[in-house]
Amino acid sequence: MSTTSYIGKPVNRVDGPAKVTGAAKYAAEFNVPHLAYGHIVSSSIAKGKITKIYADEILAIPGVLQVFSHENVPSLAWFDRSYKDDVAPGGSPFRPLQGNEVKYSMQPVALVVAETFELARYAAALLRIEYEVTKHDTDLETKRDDGFEPGRGKTGWVPPPKPRGNPDKELKNATHRVEGEYIHLAQHHNPMEMFASTVEFLGDKKLNIYDKTQGAFNSQQYVMKVFGLSKDEAHVVSQYTGGGFGSGLRPQYQLFMAVLAALELKRSVRVSMTRQQMFSMGHRPHTLQYVELGTNPDGSLAALHHHALHETSQFEDYTENVVNWSGMLYQCDNVKLTYQLAKIDVYTPQDMRAPGAATGSFALECAMDEMAYAAGIDPLEFRLRNYAERDQNLKREFSSKKLRECYHEGAAKFGWEKRNPEPRSMRDGDLLVGWGMATGVWDASIQKCAASATFTADGHLTVLSGTNDIGTGTYTIMTQIAAQTLGLPLEAVTFKLGDTNQPEAPLQGGSWTAASVGNAVKQVCDKLGEQLLKLAQKMEGSPLKGAAYEDVEFVNGQIRLNADINQAVVIRDILPASGKDKLEAENTMLPNPINQLKNSLHAHNAVFVEVKVDPELGTLHVTRVVNAVAAGRILNPKTARSQVLGSVVWGISMALMEESVMDHGFGRYMNHNYSEYHIPVSADIHDIDVIFVEEEDDKVNPLGIKGLGEVGLLGVAAAVANAAFHATGKRIRNLPVSIDKLLL
Amino acid sequence: MNSFTYTRASGVEAAVREKAADNAVKFIAGGTNILDLMKENVERPSRLLDLNHLPLKAIEAAPDGGLRLGALATNADTAWHPEVQKRYPLLNQAILAGASPQLRNMATNGGNLFQRTRCYYFYDTATPCNKREPGSGCSAIGGYNRIHAILGTSEQCIATHPSDMCVALAALKATVRVSGQNGERTVKFENFHRLPGDAPEFDHTLAPDELVTAIDLPNEDFSQHFSYLKLRDRQSYAFALVSVAAALQLDGNTIKEARLALGGVAHKPWRDQQAEELLKGQPATEDTFRKAAAAVVSSARGYGHNTFKIELAKRAIVRALKQAAEGTQHASDIFTNSNP
Ligand SMILES: Cc1cc2nc3c(=O)[nH]c(=O)nc-3n(C[C@H](O)[C@H](O)[C@H](O)COP(=O)(O)OP(=O)(O)OC[C@H]3O[C@@H](n4cnc5c(N)ncnc54)[C@H](O)[C@@H]3O)c2cc1C
Ligand code: SF4
């Protein structure tokens, strides 16, 4: 028996104790000596020019150190490329405090720095700013005819494939046809931890930067380029992140502000955002979608058209993959996918958990439900009938695809066969019961990633990779992989992340962290293992002499022969015996380009939802959810389940509550706080069942990991809306499905 | 937030005196509303006068046999007080439908009466608002007004009073005990809050130096037939879109006495005495309830995003009266009456 086999086991979070005791420090909690505090002033107008800033009035207050604005910011990097981070979309990134132009409401226009936080906030409230107002334009609804196809988008964006077959003709000839427009407003990430940077000034231009981010290296590159610092001068640390959901993929403006103030004042400075300011940044864009479907007499899809138009800012062309999924999720030979942006006076949208897919799957999967009803086929049966055996977008085979099993296992657990398809037919007392389902698909990506490993004579293994743990469980699963690879107990392994002095890891996003960092950790540990084996073979009377690395296994603190497990060397004894105090290895894991290009690499899920609706009052509750996920190897069922539970809650939130409502008169989001921007509370969440369908995949990457951060969210909003239809007979295509829409 | 000083009130009279002497002094009780408003720069007191050490925490028998709720008793202690649970379960339900356990543990009865509207524009100093800055205009009219009032509005303001507790107090015909420079007085609950008219900056009718010392519940029995129905966007930690406090006394199936008040629909807890009269003497049937509901909303007006509240209010009134008549409030419909 192996006691050091951890992969696939429900190991508790290794960072749990640090988090619950408060030992885990977040960016705004580093109380470095002689700290000054910055408070950001946000614009009250949506568009125009700053004509006057009465800085003198507040500089007169004792303890106020400086007011930074376009009037006194030193000249910084000149070219756009210096402001572009790893995932910047095309266009010209916003440069805080550079120029008097106001481009969107709540734009940061000044930073007040003072001796205390309270004083900075007070002085910021007093700062008078005069504007020359220009007419703004913030309503996507008025831009339906101004859409344009983006040029080069950001990393990871793929333009929709060219149309295939003859969709227009086949839609006309279809036996049954449905069409609909699906809408949601902007949504803001709102992680619990607000954006903050504490910049410790170490003299000259040397900085220690504690930043809230999903990628320390991305923040470092940005600071280096904008402020002309060396790698050594811009040391970024981000060991704990209180939620990200994509909001931390790009450096946020408090980082710029804090670094600017620290360099100018030659002093340590902290800048944190307020909750209200968390609505002044990237967001899931307001999107209008049109889907048209047609079927043949046998219920197969004859044709599909999916169009999306979403907002972007005036200065950057944010792109996400909204419609592409519709060309690969179902077998269909006549497909047209179109995608456009429209510019309005807002800040640039930003990736938010399952960007594009959460939006696209909502529209497609509602339309599939409508189509199933129009064709008189059960919605699950309809999907099975149109199951895609290969990826028609890429014209490739799937490396693995257990979506069929997701459908079957999910439906069985949910009891789908007991469903009466007739809307308003199922009841629980006076309440209407609705059952709906939907499907999701998400990329199984992997990125280049470096890691290092050090094994010391006391038997302890330390593995480093500068990734991030945004609450997903990265600390834990990497510890598991490292421990299992070298056959060590978990307690003998420490995994460290979130520091630009560590080997470089990609941004924590795109659900690629488990695969990228996981495989990197595995590789570097194997490299160390080879060294250990060599040393072990040199030990006196070593039973491992002549064995190749493949001939041995690292288990239970020993290296032992596969052929005879009693022939073993205790790993702890190796370094003392060889007289070394440590062994080190460093490695950069590169994805296998052939596997990456030959296959279609995706994770899938099927979601089943029960809602209960009070027919008179229009109140709706999601009483039951089953989410069956096929995402390759599950490294830790406990952290994995948490990811999917969180996704389901997020999906319910998207379906029933979330919207950043803009008053177009002011061009300003008006519900910019936790009190009025609603997300579910515990009482809104009932039973959630998570099923992981077994899926072995040796093509996606050596460890067979597909990632879980996002796929679980897909389909949830659509399944809720479909269940609402089944319960009430009302098709709501405009999220959120709120009481006012269900009532009327 | 501005700089302010903080002092403790040494007694009721002293508190009233200090407040009268300086308009920029504000009382603080639980702090759950005043501190938020200070952080948003909406309230800018130069001094906070802390009431928490005044001896106004008791919940005790009132001289007429009713119950006296101290102004500084917390919402939680009030809701869970055995006499409240037994004799005034409508109040228990209303309080528990509000805010969250953490907030109710801090919030006081006095503070609950004075809590200010949740209108988005009132909270955002970048936008005009007559309530915050008289004469600057009402941004909600013609703006985003999903949570706004449909009854008793004015051209100057369409804000709602956000309290749940106060809706029950209105239905129960509470009286408010007040101390001021000129001594003590009592104010009928229906006269405590006011409609916006052309002075939306005033939420209530008290003078600036007056302090609430207690709330008296009359010696009446609505413990058998009552309902507090709150409809909101999520199950906790959200204000009412519409709420209804319904209380009945029945003789067989005939309504002897009726109380009906609504929350989330007006600048004050909206008790409708005409509708109550319509109910009295009638059989407790859906038809009767519908008539009362129609009467309540007959003067309602929608402003766009909030127009759904008219229909919602009507249906909620019927449901609440039905629950009250059937005595089913305790059967706890998990969806409309859970109280996390
Ligand atoms: C997120 C959130 C959600 C909420 N949800 C709900 C809800 O669903 N339903 C609901 O009803 N409420 C809700 N509340 C509001 C809550 O009930 C009130 O904030 C609370 O009752 C106020 O009481 P307090 O003692 O904290 O008042 P404070 O904040 O201390 O004071 C409020 C005001 O009352 C004045 N004041 C206090 N006591 C007296 C007195 N004795 N005499 C004269 N003036 C006095 C103060 O000067 C101040 O102006 C919510 C609050 C929050 C923050
Ligand atoms: S409704 Fe009242 S509180 Fe809201 S903006 Fe208008 S005046 Fe201000």
Side-chain angles (χ1 to χ4, degrees):
Chain A
M1 236 212 36
S2 159
T3 54
T4 53
S5 124
Y6 297 108
I7 296 178
K9 300 279 159 59
V11 169
N12 286 338
R13 283 175 190 261
V14 297
D15 51 336
K19 282 190 174 165
V20 297
T21 56
K25 276 203 196 177
Y26 294 81
E29 296 180 329
F30 288 87
N31 294 323
V32 300
H34 202 45
L35 188 61
Y37 298 81
H39 196 83
I40 300 162
V41 180
S42 310
S43 77
S44 58
I45 65 161
K47 194 171 185 172
K49 281 194 167 64
I50 303 165
T51 51
K52 188 146 180 56
I53 297 191
Y54 294 88
D56 290 347
E57 292 177 0
I58 64 166
L59 283 167
I61 302 171
V64 173
L65 298 169
Q66 184 55 293
V67 178
F68 291 101
S69 71
H70 69 280
E71 291 182 348
N72 61 358
V73 161
S75 78
L76 296 166
W78 180 250
F79 294 107
D80 272 345
R81 65 167 182 271
S82 304
Y83 295 82
K84 287 209 179 213
D85 58 274
D86 271 5
V87 286
S92 173
F94 173 69
R95 304 179 183 193
L97 308 186
Q98 293 173 65
N100 64 351
E101 226 183 308
V102 175
K103 299 174 176 180
Y104 60 96
S105 186
M106 292 187 80
Q107 172 180 318
V109 289
L111 178 76
V112 178
V113 186
E115 292 290 348
T116 67
F117 167 72
E118 288 76 11
L119 190 58
R121 181 169 60 172
Y122 168 53
L126 293 180
L127 183 61
R128 286 197 299 139
I129 300 178
E130 281 171 13
Y131 300 97
E132 185 186 301
V133 178
T134 327
K135 204 176 152 312
H136 61 259
D137 199 347
T138 50
D139 192 357
L140 183 68
E141 292 281 353
T142 66
K143 298 278 166 190
R144 284 170 187 272
D145 300 329
D146 303 333
F148 63 94
E149 277 163 30
R152 246 187 56 220
K154 66 175 173 37
T155 329
W157 178 68
V158 184
K162 293 210 165 50
R164 61 178 180 250
N166 198 339
D168 292 336
K169 184 171 142 238
E170 294 305 322
L171 278 168
K172 233 179 258 141
N173 296 342
T175 317
H176 298 283
R177 201 184 63 87
V178 293
E179 62 182 321
E181 188 180 51
Y182 302 84
I183 301 173
H184 66 68
L185 297 185
Q187 298 162 7
H188 283 80
H189 311 69
N190 272 306
M192 191 72 94
E193 182 199 10
M194 287 169 289
F195 279 93
S197 304
T198 302
V199 177
E200 184 177 11
F201 184 76
L202 300 173
D204 206 4
K205 281 160 70 182
K206 207 165 156 40
L207 308 176
N208 253 343
I209 303 167
Y210 300 97
D211 189 32
K212 182 207 166 100
T213 172
Q214 289 176 238
F217 288 96
N218 199 25
S219 293
Q220 182 188 43
Q221 283 296 320
Y222 178 82
V223 168
M224 283 166 59
K225 289 189 294 186
V226 172
F227 294 96
L229 303 184
S230 68
K231 238 172 142 30
D232 198 41
E233 288 166 332
H235 174 219
V236 178
V237 177
S238 171
Q239 285 162 338
Y240 294 97
T241 304
F245 314 120
S247 64
L249 289 173
R250 300 188 70 184
Q252 293 296 356
Y253 58 79
Q254 94 291 342
L255 173 66
F256 173 93
M257 301 260 181
V259 171
L260 170 80
L263 290 172
E264 288 299 300
L265 298 174
K266 306 211 169 304
R267 189 173 163 177
S268 299
V269 176
R270 172 182 306 151
V271 180
S272 331
M273 288 194 196
T274 62
R275 177 58 63 189
Q276 286 71 11
Q277 286 165 342
M278 297 291 285
F279 290 79
S280 66
M281 55 173 72
H283 49 274
R284 198 189 294 290
H286 180 184
T287 309
L288 313 174
Q289 299 182 75
Y290 171 82
V291 183
E292 194 177 357
L293 301 175
T295 48
N296 297 314
D298 64 353
S300 61
L301 274 174
L304 177 158
H305 177 200
H306 187 174
H307 173 72
L309 169 73
H310 71 66
E311 53 164 297
T312 191
S313 63
Q314 300 288 2
F315 43 92
E316 283 174 315
D317 290 348
Y318 170 78
T319 50
E320 56 183 29
N321 300 323
V322 181
V323 296
N324 304 18
W325 318 96
S326 298
M328 62 167 296
L329 193 48
Y330 300 105
Q331 164 70 34
C332 184
D333 295 333
N334 302 288
V335 173
K336 186 163 88 181
L337 306 172
T338 48
Y339 174 69
Q340 293 187 322
L341 310 182
K343 287 184 176 292
I344 54 173
D345 297 310
V346 293
Y347 186 69
T348 313
Q350 184 174 2
D351 287 348
M352 175 157 146
R353 207 168 193 177
T359 298
S361 81
F362 158 63
L364 175 70
E365 289 298 291
C366 286
M368 284 294 286
D369 199 68
E370 298 196 34
M371 189 73 250
Y373 270 93
I377 308 171
D378 171 83
L380 173 58
E381 169 59 25
F382 182 54
R383 286 171 172 85
L384 286 166
R385 246 184 245 185
N386 289 285
Y387 196 83
E389 298 292 353
R390 65 193 300 265
D391 180 343
Q392 286 182 289
N393 278 356
L394 294 175
K395 303 186 182 65
R396 292 180 201 161
E397 301 304 318
F398 292 103
S399 63
S400 62
K401 177 177 173 180
K402 297 278 186 205
L403 176 58
R404 197 176 267 117
E405 287 75 0
C406 291
Y407 286 137
H408 291 316
E409 290 183 34
K413 181 95 194 182
F414 187 82
W416 185 260
E417 82 282 357
K418 293 198 278 291
R419 179 176 184 267
N420 179 341
E422 191 60 36
R424 297 185 80 93
S425 64
M426 291 171 63
R427 287 192 176 250
D428 172 12
D430 293 334
L431 301 176
L432 295 168
V433 176
W435 288 4
M437 56 92 47
T439 309
V441 55
W442 185 248
D443 298 318
S445 315
I446 187 164
Q447 308 277 331
K448 172 180 156 183
C449 180
S452 69
T454 307
F455 187 68
T456 42
D458 58 358
H460 200 87
L461 172 69
T462 305
V463 182
L464 312 179
S465 181
T467 178
N468 214 270
D469 187 338
I470 56 175
T472 41
T474 312
Y475 274 111
T476 310
I477 58 175
M478 296 312 150
T479 308
Q480 290 173 257
I481 293 172
Q484 174 161 334
T485 306
L486 288 181
L488 298 171
L490 278 184
E491 308 75 63
V493 179
T494 307
F495 177 72
K496 292 186 181 170
L497 54 71
D499 190 320
T500 52
N501 289 342
Q502 295 163 345
E504 184 161 350
L507 274 165
Q508 157 71 287
S511 292
W512 60 53
T513 300
S516 312
V517 186
N519 281 294
V521 166
K522 170 94 171 68
Q523 277 190 6
V524 81
C525 288
D526 276 332
K527 223 167 148 176
L528 199 70
E530 286 171 19
Q531 295 183 42
L532 277 168
L533 175 62
K534 276 203 193 107
L535 290 180
Q537 290 171 330
K538 288 193 193 132
M539 285 164 72
E540 219 180 284
S542 172
L544 306 177
K545 284 206 168 75
Y549 192 61
E550 295 72 39
D551 300 334
V552 300
E553 57 180 1
F554 287 68
V555 170
N556 297 352
Q558 299 177 329
I559 309 178
R560 61 195 196 187
L561 285 178
N562 290 334
D564 178 0
I565 61 169
N566 293 321
Q567 301 297 320
V569 168
V570 174
I571 297 173
R572 277 185 78 106
D573 296 343
I574 300 175
L575 289 192
S578 65
K580 288 189 191 280
D581 55 0
K582 63 178 178 190
L583 273 187
E584 286 172 308
E586 187 152 355
N587 183 58
T588 298
M589 185 281 306
L590 297 167
N592 177 332
I594 296 166
N595 278 347
Q596 295 292 309
L597 288 174
K598 252 176 56 186
N599 302 290
S600 171
L601 311 167
H602 288 94
H604 294 84
N605 73 328
V607 188
F608 298 81
V609 165
E610 174 183 88
V611 301
K612 292 188 180 168
V613 181
D614 186 311
E616 281 166 27
L617 301 177
T619 48
L620 178 147
H621 295 274
V622 176
T623 46
R624 214 152 56 86
V625 179
V626 174
N627 197 346
V629 181
R633 185 200 292 264
I634 302 304
L635 294 165
N636 180 332
K638 202 165 177 177
T639 55
R641 181 168 175 273
S642 292
Q643 279 301 300
V644 179
L645 289 179
S647 295
V648 170
V649 173
W650 190 298
I652 292 173
S653 188
M654 178 179 179
L656 303 182
M657 296 175 197
E658 285 190 54
E659 52 177 350
S660 299
V661 184
M662 173 88 76
D663 178 327
H664 294 297
F666 298 107
R668 193 171 174 90
Y669 297 114
M670 286 317 303
N671 56 340
H672 49 58
N673 55 61
Y674 259 170
S675 172
E676 300 300 336
Y677 183 92
H678 291 153
I679 55 171
V681 296
S682 300
D684 294 302
I685 303 302
H686 299 272
D687 294 348
I688 303 174
D689 255 311
V690 179
I691 298 171
F692 291 113
V693 169
E694 250 182 75
E695 190 175 64
E696 272 179 36
D697 190 333
D698 57 4
K699 297 191 193 105
V700 65
N701 54 61
L703 280 171
I705 303 168
K706 286 188 174 177
L708 268 173
E710 293 161 288
V711 67
L713 163 63
L714 300 172
V716 179
V720 172
N722 293 341
F725 169 77
H726 181 230
T728 64
K730 236 176 245 167
R731 193 55 85 174
I732 295 170
R733 302 186 182 92
N734 191 343
L735 293 180
V737 180
S738 48
I739 187 168
D740 41 334
K741 294 174 194 154
L742 281 165
L743 184 73
L744 302 174
Chain B
M1 188 186 250
N2 59 332
S3 303
F4 62 92
T5 57
Y6 165 91
T7 44
R8 281 184 185 176
S10 54
V12 171
E13 273 174 36
V16 167
R17 225 181 308 118
E18 287 181 55
K19 183 93 193 299
D22 183 355
N23 226 350
V25 170
K26 278 262 173 188
F27 296 141
I28 179 168
T32 61
N33 193 219
I34 184 93
L35 291 178
D36 276 4
L37 290 165
M38 286 169 68
K39 286 189 220 162
E40 300 276 2
N41 226 23
V42 174
E43 299 271 17
R44 293 167 204 165
S46 65
R47 176 147 66 102
L48 283 182
L49 191 54
D50 187 351
L51 303 182
N52 282 292
H53 300 271
L54 300 182
L56 302 172
K57 287 199 166 78
I59 296 175
E60 58 201 0
D64 74 334
L67 195 65
R68 178 162 295 171
L69 313 173
L72 286 157
T74 66
N75 284 177
D77 285 346
T78 305
W80 296 114
H81 192 278
E83 286 294 304
V84 172
Q85 291 193 67
K86 194 170 102 207
R87 298 175 59 195
Y88 305 98
L90 174 64
L91 180 61
N92 160 282
Q93 294 288 302
I95 294 176
L96 295 184
S100 67
Q102 297 90 330
L103 284 159
R104 296 193 296 262
N105 284 340
M106 288 302 291
T108 65
N109 294 336
N112 197 305
L113 265 49
F114 288 94
Q115 65 173 295
R116 308 212 66 187
T117 185
R118 309 304 290 203
C119 170
Y120 322 106
Y121 304 94
F122 176 69
Y123 264 78
D124 187 339
T125 54
T127 60
C129 165
N130 283 330
K131 187 182 276 298
R132 183 167 27 78
E133 229 175 289
S136 62
C138 171
S139 300
I141 299 176
Y144 180 49
N145 49 40
R146 184 166 181 271
I147 60 175
H148 288 73
I150 51 170
L151 287 162
T153 54
S154 77
E155 295 296 308
Q156 274 68 50
C157 179
I158 59 170
T160 61
H161 190 266
S163 172
D164 290 297
M165 176 182 183
C166 290
V167 183
L169 293 176
L172 292 169
K173 278 216 239 179
T175 44
V176 184
R177 303 185 67 82
V178 175
S179 267
Q181 294 239 85
N182 304 325
E184 296 222 340
R185 66 179 183 118
T186 58
V187 183
K188 283 185 172 176
F189 204 80
E190 64 206 67
N191 297 330
F192 185 89
H193 296 101
R194 59 185 294 285
L195 291 177
D198 53 14
E201 65 272 31
F202 299 113
D203 297 348
H204 55 80
T205 57
L206 297 200
D209 63 350
E210 283 182 309
L211 185 145
V212 169
T213 55
I215 300 159
D216 283 354
L217 299 173
N219 185 11
E220 286 183 299
D221 185 7
F222 289 99
S223 65
Q224 298 311 305
H225 296 284
F226 66 92
S227 169
Y228 188 74
L229 177 63
K230 178 175 178 178
L231 302 170
R232 49 186 148 177
D233 284 321
R234 62 179 165 194
Q235 280 303 91
S236 174
Y237 206 65
F239 291 90
L241 293 165
V242 168
S243 71
V244 182
L248 300 172
Q249 286 169 356
L250 296 180
D251 185 0
N253 197 37
T254 306
I255 301 169
K256 253 174 48 195
E257 180 64 43
R259 297 290 166 71
L260 189 60
L262 272 70
V265 294
H267 198 257
K268 59 186 286 191
W270 189 263
R271 181 170 161 224
D272 190 326
Q273 301 193 39
Q274 250 176 317
E276 291 173 1
E277 287 308 317
L278 278 178
L279 290 163
K280 272 189 225 169
Q282 299 299 312
T285 60
E286 189 151 337
D287 195 44
T288 304
F289 302 153
R290 278 185 199 288
K291 283 185 186 132
V296 173
V297 301
S298 61
S299 62
R301 167 174 175 200
Y303 290 83
H305 304 98
N306 72 346
T307 306
F308 74 97
K309 283 190 179 185
I310 301 174
E311 183 62 29
L312 187 63
K314 241 163 75 180
R315 297 192 201 176
I317 292 167
V318 174
R319 174 67 60 84
L321 285 167
K322 223 156 89 181
Q323 286 180 342
E326 289 165 4
T328 51
Q329 169 83 21
H330 283 303
S332 179
D333 169 355
I334 60 157
F335 297 138
T336 43
N337 290 315
S338 69
N339 297 312

